Amino acid sequence: MTDVLTFGEALVTLRAEQSIRNGGSLRMSVAGAEVNVAIGLARLGHDVRWVGCTSRDEFGALVLRTLRAENVDVRHAALADGPTGLVVFEPRIADLTRVSYRRSGSAGSRLAPTHVEASSDARPRVVHLTGITAALGPGPLGAVRAAAEAATASGATLCLDVNHRAKLWSREEAAAALRPLMGHVDILVASDDELALAAPGGTTEDERVEALLEAGVREVVVKRGADGAQVFGVSGASVARPALSVPVKDTVGAGDAFVAGYLSALLDGEPVERRLERGVALGAFAVASQGDWEGLPVRDELGLLDAAPGSAIR
């Protein structure tokens, strides 16, 4: 049995050292919301399978090589027409980053329901999906729907991170696609301004959370950035944890790291308080490091944030 099965697009990332118009070097890596979560979970020792379409180009080879090196199962990754999508991160001021995409017609956008069917042998405990994949076109949206239905049919826990990207689709388009999925979702993850895209009703946060729980969602996890995160459950109670204070180097990927930490603790059978604590811990690792996932910990490093600043590990 696989711990976590996730579907999505893998991108090659290019990180600039300074403003693009000023030139300079670019550092290359791999990312994508589901890829980041998969790597974060695999580093903590979980059995994770990523399913997506990769290009036949050298960037596609880099994607597969990176995921294999991070112990992510890619046996059902498919080769598809189109280039590998690119994302460029450009530092502007302080920790503000400008993000540009080159993903139109990418191999990753060829994901379809047939790819979900091909991975039916995984028997996952958790299926993780995001609104980013749903926004990539009819095929990926169909794959998200098929994965949600398959999770319900198999008894797997379905986690959906809204992860709205305004450059991919409007809020109206996102709401029309995501709200019908709520009958399948067990854990909904959203920032406070994304709740309206998933909630079938309500105008305030409390009303939207209540509408989601009434629709069948078991846990509503609200990411609050620098203020931490909060979980609302069917019992009516909520639990919150503040973000950890760390030097901020790069905020990109923090939300995905949080999800990886939350799901890791869920798989370990931890209560919601411990899930939140591991989630905010991985979020802190992410923002204190350069890159989407490169600074995420292996399991025996989870306590590193408790060390005194300037400590040497000997």
Side-chain angles (χ1 to χ4, degrees):
M1 179 177 285
T2 301
D3 286 337
V4 180
L5 175 63
T6 187
F7 301 85
E9 180 187 30
L11 301 161
V12 164
T13 65
L14 300 174
R15 291 181 181 272
E17 295 180 349
Q18 59 184 353
S19 171
I20 294 292
R21 69 178 60 195
N22 291 327
S25 59
L26 294 164
R27 182 169 58 85
M28 185 165 57
S29 186
V30 169
E34 297 85 359
V35 165
N36 297 338
V37 171
I39 291 175
L41 284 163
R43 286 196 173 182
L44 293 175
H46 299 288
D47 183 9
V48 188
R49 181 181 297 186
W50 174 84
V51 176
C53 295
T54 58
S55 176
R56 294 177 174 85
D57 60 23
E58 287 300 294
F59 290 128
L62 173 63
V63 167
L64 294 178
R65 177 177 180 271
T66 300
L67 288 170
R68 289 189 184 108
E70 291 293 333
N71 295 314
V72 175
D73 182 343
V74 293
R75 74 183 69 181
H76 284 107
L79 294 177
D81 294 333
T84 301
L86 299 178
V87 56
V88 181
F89 298 104
E90 176 186 12
R92 292 305 299 129
I93 54 173
D95 59 356
L96 181 66
T97 302
R98 182 157 55 199
V99 184
S100 303
Y101 295 94
R102 298 291 185 273
R103 72 198 322 171
S104 179
S106 71
S109 67
R110 313 293 183 185
L111 185 68
T114 53
H115 299 113
V116 175
E117 296 164 10
S119 63
S120 60
D121 67 313
R123 297 188 298 119
R125 295 171 61 192
V126 174
V127 173
H128 174 63
L129 304 170
T130 79
I132 295 175
T133 299
L136 295 178
L141 177 56
V144 167
R145 288 171 175 161
E149 292 168 1
T152 299
S154 69
T157 296
L158 178 62
C159 174
L160 174 68
D161 188 346
V162 172
N163 239 334
H164 181 247
R165 295 292 182 267
K167 291 183 178 181
L168 289 175
W169 57 358
S170 68
R171 291 181 65 85
E172 292 74 20
E173 290 171 321
L178 298 180
R179 287 176 184 172
L181 298 175
M182 292 307 109
H184 298 288
V185 174
D186 296 293
I187 300 172
L188 180 80
V189 183
S191 58
D192 48 11
D193 65 332
E194 292 173 336
L195 278 177
L197 304 182
T203 56
T204 67
E205 180 176 292
D206 287 344
E207 290 172 344
R208 288 165 180 157
V209 167
E210 183 178 358
L212 286 163
L213 295 175
E214 289 178 351
V217 178
R218 191 173 72 226
E219 295 176 4
V220 179
V221 184
V222 182
K223 297 181 291 186
R224 304 193 188 279
D227 293 324
Q230 187 171 7
V231 177
F232 299 86
V234 291
S235 66
S238 70
V239 179
R241 287 293 183 271
L244 300 180
S245 179
V246 294
V248 176
K249 290 188 176 181
D250 187 352
T251 59
V252 177
D256 300 329
F258 169 85
V259 171
Y262 191 87
L263 292 180
S264 170
L266 174 73
L267 290 162
D268 286 350
E270 297 286 0
V272 66
E273 295 86 357
R274 295 290 295 163
R275 296 180 220 162
L276 275 174
E277 289 165 7
R278 193 174 298 179
V280 297
L282 258 69
F285 272 99
V287 301
S289 311
Q290 291 289 344
D292 289 62
W293 51 266
E294 285 85 343
L296 296 185
V298 296
R299 189 168 287 258
D300 62 5
E301 292 177 322
L302 283 172
L304 285 180
L305 296 176
D306 297 329
S311 298
I313 302 172
R314 303 182 187 277

